[in-house]
Amino acid sequence: MATYKSTLKSESGFTLIDLLFVCSLIGLLSTLAIPGLMRARGVAQSASAVGTLRVINSAQLSYAVTCGSGFYSPDLPRLGVAPPSSFQAFLPPELTSGATFVKSGYTFSLTGTSMGGAPGSCNGLAPGMGAPGYVAVGDPIDAAGNPHFYGTNADGVIYEHSATLSTAMPESGPSPAGSVIK
């Protein structure tokens, strides 16, 4: 006589309902975290923009004192040319490749009005091309997500505004728009 053993299979694991619940919970938590992450990203981009403008101010001051005979560089590429007595330029190449550059979600530019009586500089700027002042601005690429615009001039003070400061900022003196960054 043959006996048959019945074996019971143990079924363990997750059901489809369990998996759907976990996926929806992860989706909900991700949705709640996105605004905070976007705010943190905007704050980091703004801090980087202010830091970059401080670097530009420092480079312009060094240029005026050591190379420009009291005059500033009229553009960013000139700050990328090292003086003959130095191995380093006033700004690194990534900040001086053109009239503008993009860094950390911001577009930066620098302009200065040349003055006819300015002497030539030690790094090759022709006589009459040095500027008595300058304006450097940082405008966000995504103004809707990060509505902070920054600008500075020969005074070395950095201003924040809700719109671009490129047209409002004078080359020296206080800005008529924006508030001072401390």
Side-chain angles (χ1 to χ4, degrees):
M1 185 176 223
T3 60
Y4 294 99
K5 288 185 181 178
S6 65
T7 57
L8 295 175
K9 281 188 172 180
S10 168
E11 294 192 27
S12 62
F14 297 106
T15 65
L16 183 59
I17 298 294
D18 292 336
L19 292 175
L20 288 174
F21 177 75
V22 169
C23 288
S24 64
L25 186 61
I26 290 171
L28 176 67
L29 292 175
S30 298
T31 303
L32 293 174
I34 286 175
L37 290 173
M38 295 305 285
R39 270 192 308 277
R41 180 176 160 222
V43 168
Q45 288 176 338
S46 294
S48 177
V50 170
T52 301
L53 288 176
R54 287 188 176 149
V55 166
I56 291 173
N57 279 337
S58 177
Q60 281 283 41
L61 183 60
S62 294
Y63 178 88
V65 170
T66 63
C67 193
S69 300
F71 289 88
Y72 299 102
S73 172
D75 56 22
L76 288 166
R78 181 55 50 187
L79 292 172
V81 176
S85 62
S86 177
F87 296 110
Q88 284 187 347
F90 297 98
L91 284 176
E94 61 269 12
L95 305 183
T96 59
S97 59
T100 64
F101 66 89
V102 176
K103 181 181 177 210
S104 299
Y106 275 81
T107 301
F108 294 91
S109 63
L110 178 126
T111 58
T113 305
S114 298
M115 184 173 167
S121 71
C122 70
N123 69 345
L125 187 65
M129 297 302 294
Y134 65 90
V135 172
V137 295
D139 294 337
I141 293 172
D142 176 22
N146 185 4
H148 303 282
F149 295 78
Y150 298 100
T152 188
N153 59 19
D155 289 354
V157 178
I158 298 175
Y159 295 88
E160 178 184 6
H161 195 47
S162 58
T164 186
L165 291 166
S166 62
T167 56
M169 174 93 46
E171 291 188 3
S172 63
S175 175
S179 58
V180 174
I181 298 286
K182 303 233 179 202

mmCIF file of all heavy atoms in Angstrom, residues 89-107:
data_model
loop_
_atom_site.group_PDB
_atom_site.id
_atom_site.type_symbol
_atom_site.label_atom_id
_atom_site.label_comp_id
_atom_site.label_asym_id
_atom_site.label_seq_id
_atom_site.Cartn_x
_atom_site.Cartn_y
_atom_site.Cartn_z
ATOM 1 N N ALA A 89 47.132 84.700 -13.998
ATOM 2 C CA ALA A 89 46.296 85.823 -14.404
ATOM 3 C C ALA A 89 45.487 86.295 -13.185
ATOM 4 O O ALA A 89 45.532 85.682 -12.124
ATOM 5 C CB ALA A 89 45.369 85.387 -15.525
ATOM 6 N N PHE A 90 44.748 87.357 -13.358
ATOM 7 C CA PHE A 90 43.947 87.899 -12.262
ATOM 8 C C PHE A 90 42.707 87.040 -11.993
ATOM 9 O O PHE A 90 42.224 86.985 -10.875
ATOM 10 C CB PHE A 90 43.544 89.338 -12.580
ATOM 11 C CG PHE A 90 44.731 90.248 -12.692
ATOM 12 C CD1 PHE A 90 45.262 90.568 -13.934
ATOM 13 C CD2 PHE A 90 45.353 90.763 -11.569
ATOM 14 C CE1 PHE A 90 46.370 91.385 -14.048
ATOM 15 C CE2 PHE A 90 46.456 91.580 -11.662
ATOM 16 C CZ PHE A 90 46.968 91.895 -12.905
ATOM 17 N N LEU A 91 42.190 86.384 -13.044
ATOM 18 C CA LEU A 91 41.067 85.457 -12.915
ATOM 19 C C LEU A 91 41.410 84.160 -13.647
ATOM 20 O O LEU A 91 42.162 84.183 -14.620
ATOM 21 C CB LEU A 91 39.786 86.047 -13.532
ATOM 22 C CG LEU A 91 39.049 87.126 -12.749
ATOM 23 C CD1 LEU A 91 37.867 87.659 -13.548
ATOM 24 C CD2 LEU A 91 38.570 86.621 -11.407
ATOM 25 N N PRO A 92 40.836 83.043 -13.218
ATOM 26 C CA PRO A 92 41.108 81.775 -13.898
ATOM 27 C C PRO A 92 40.455 81.724 -15.289
ATOM 28 O O PRO A 92 39.505 82.463 -15.554
ATOM 29 C CB PRO A 92 40.502 80.723 -12.965
ATOM 30 C CG PRO A 92 39.513 81.447 -12.138
ATOM 31 C CD PRO A 92 39.985 82.871 -12.038
ATOM 32 N N PRO A 93 40.926 80.835 -16.154
ATOM 33 C CA PRO A 93 40.415 80.757 -17.526
ATOM 34 C C PRO A 93 38.909 80.521 -17.638
ATOM 35 O O PRO A 93 38.275 81.029 -18.555
ATOM 36 C CB PRO A 93 41.189 79.584 -18.137
ATOM 37 C CG PRO A 93 42.391 79.427 -17.300
ATOM 38 C CD PRO A 93 42.031 79.908 -15.933
ATOM 39 N N GLU A 94 38.320 79.755 -16.720
ATOM 40 C CA GLU A 94 36.886 79.484 -16.821
ATOM 41 C C GLU A 94 36.028 80.728 -16.599
ATOM 42 O O GLU A 94 34.859 80.745 -16.957
ATOM 43 C CB GLU A 94 36.453 78.362 -15.868
ATOM 44 C CG GLU A 94 36.669 78.633 -14.409
ATOM 45 C CD GLU A 94 38.013 78.159 -13.877
ATOM 46 O OE1 GLU A 94 38.902 77.804 -14.659
ATOM 47 O OE2 GLU A 94 38.180 78.185 -12.647
ATOM 48 N N LEU A 95 36.604 81.787 -16.034
ATOM 49 C CA LEU A 95 35.861 83.031 -15.826
ATOM 50 C C LEU A 95 36.197 84.097 -16.867
ATOM 51 O O LEU A 95 35.602 85.173 -16.852
ATOM 52 C CB LEU A 95 36.140 83.587 -14.426
ATOM 53 C CG LEU A 95 35.874 82.670 -13.236
ATOM 54 C CD1 LEU A 95 36.133 83.408 -11.933
ATOM 55 C CD2 LEU A 95 34.477 82.106 -13.266
ATOM 56 N N THR A 96 37.133 83.823 -17.740
ATOM 57 C CA THR A 96 37.595 84.858 -18.674
ATOM 58 C C THR A 96 37.574 84.409 -20.131
ATOM 59 O O THR A 96 38.236 85.004 -20.964
ATOM 60 C CB THR A 96 39.020 85.288 -18.314
ATOM 61 O OG1 THR A 96 39.879 84.156 -18.375
ATOM 62 C CG2 THR A 96 39.073 85.928 -16.944
ATOM 63 N N SER A 97 36.806 83.392 -20.449
ATOM 64 C CA SER A 97 36.813 82.861 -21.811
ATOM 65 C C SER A 97 36.060 83.741 -22.803
ATOM 66 O O SER A 97 36.209 83.571 -24.003
ATOM 67 C CB SER A 97 36.229 81.448 -21.823
ATOM 68 O OG SER A 97 34.903 81.471 -21.318
ATOM 69 N N GLY A 98 35.255 84.659 -22.344
ATOM 70 C CA GLY A 98 34.496 85.536 -23.233
ATOM 71 C C GLY A 98 33.918 86.716 -22.480
ATOM 72 O O GLY A 98 34.242 86.952 -21.316
ATOM 73 N N ALA A 99 33.044 87.448 -23.149
ATOM 74 C CA ALA A 99 32.413 88.619 -22.534
ATOM 75 C C ALA A 99 31.493 88.220 -21.386
ATOM 76 O O ALA A 99 31.258 88.996 -20.466
ATOM 77 C CB ALA A 99 31.638 89.406 -23.581
ATOM 78 N N THR A 100 30.950 87.001 -21.456
ATOM 79 C CA THR A 100 30.100 86.473 -20.386
ATOM 80 C C THR A 100 30.531 85.044 -20.087
ATOM 81 O O THR A 100 31.194 84.405 -20.897
ATOM 82 C CB THR A 100 28.608 86.471 -20.777
ATOM 83 O OG1 THR A 100 28.429 85.582 -21.869
ATOM 84 C CG2 THR A 100 28.121 87.864 -21.133
ATOM 85 N N PHE A 101 30.145 84.554 -18.942
ATOM 86 C CA PHE A 101 30.351 83.138 -18.609
ATOM 87 C C PHE A 101 29.199 82.669 -17.737
ATOM 88 O O PHE A 101 28.525 83.474 -17.086
ATOM 89 C CB PHE A 101 31.708 82.890 -17.939
ATOM 90 C CG PHE A 101 31.872 83.511 -16.581
ATOM 91 C CD1 PHE A 101 31.510 82.829 -15.433
ATOM 92 C CD2 PHE A 101 32.392 84.788 -16.460
ATOM 93 C CE1 PHE A 101 31.663 83.410 -14.187
ATOM 94 C CE2 PHE A 101 32.555 85.378 -15.214
ATOM 95 C CZ PHE A 101 32.188 84.684 -14.069
ATOM 96 N N VAL A 102 28.969 81.371 -17.759
ATOM 97 C CA VAL A 102 27.903 80.757 -16.970
ATOM 98 C C VAL A 102 28.541 79.916 -15.879
ATOM 99 O O VAL A 102 29.460 79.141 -16.131
ATOM 100 C CB VAL A 102 26.994 79.876 -17.857
ATOM 101 C CG1 VAL A 102 25.952 79.158 -17.014
ATOM 102 C CG2 VAL A 102 26.322 80.710 -18.926
ATOM 103 N N LYS A 103 28.041 80.116 -14.658
ATOM 104 C CA LYS A 103 28.555 79.356 -13.516
ATOM 105 C C LYS A 103 27.441 79.192 -12.496
ATOM 106 O O LYS A 103 26.813 80.176 -12.095
ATOM 107 C CB LYS A 103 29.744 80.092 -12.890
ATOM 108 C CG LYS A 103 30.351 79.363 -11.723
ATOM 109 C CD LYS A 103 31.508 80.136 -11.128
ATOM 110 C CE LYS A 103 32.020 79.381 -9.922
ATOM 111 N NZ LYS A 103 32.585 80.242 -8.932
ATOM 112 N N SER A 104 27.193 77.984 -12.080
ATOM 113 C CA SER A 104 26.233 77.657 -11.015
ATOM 114 C C SER A 104 24.863 78.292 -11.222
ATOM 115 O O SER A 104 24.295 78.872 -10.296
ATOM 116 C CB SER A 104 26.793 78.076 -9.652
ATOM 117 O OG SER A 104 27.978 77.389 -9.381
ATOM 118 N N GLY A 105 24.330 78.193 -12.417
ATOM 119 C CA GLY A 105 22.988 78.697 -12.675
ATOM 120 C C GLY A 105 22.896 80.188 -12.908
ATOM 121 O O GLY A 105 21.804 80.741 -12.968
ATOM 122 N N TYR A 106 24.014 80.882 -13.040
ATOM 123 C CA TYR A 106 24.023 82.326 -13.271
ATOM 124 C C TYR A 106 24.866 82.652 -14.499
ATOM 125 O O TYR A 106 25.844 81.976 -14.790
ATOM 126 C CB TYR A 106 24.625 83.069 -12.065
ATOM 127 C CG TYR A 106 23.623 83.349 -10.976
ATOM 128 C CD1 TYR A 106 23.267 82.390 -10.055
ATOM 129 C CD2 TYR A 106 23.022 84.599 -10.871
ATOM 130 C CE1 TYR A 106 22.349 82.628 -9.064
ATOM 131 C CE2 TYR A 106 22.100 84.858 -9.883
ATOM 132 C CZ TYR A 106 21.762 83.885 -8.979
ATOM 133 O OH TYR A 106 20.847 84.148 -8.000
ATOM 134 N N THR A 107 24.477 83.721 -15.184
ATOM 135 C CA THR A 107 25.269 84.271 -16.284
ATOM 136 C C THR A 107 25.915 85.553 -15.770
ATOM 137 O O THR A 107 25.224 86.451 -15.281
ATOM 138 C CB THR A 107 24.382 84.595 -17.501
ATOM 139 O OG1 THR A 107 23.735 83.396 -17.917
ATOM 140 C CG2 THR A 107 25.211 85.152 -18.641
#
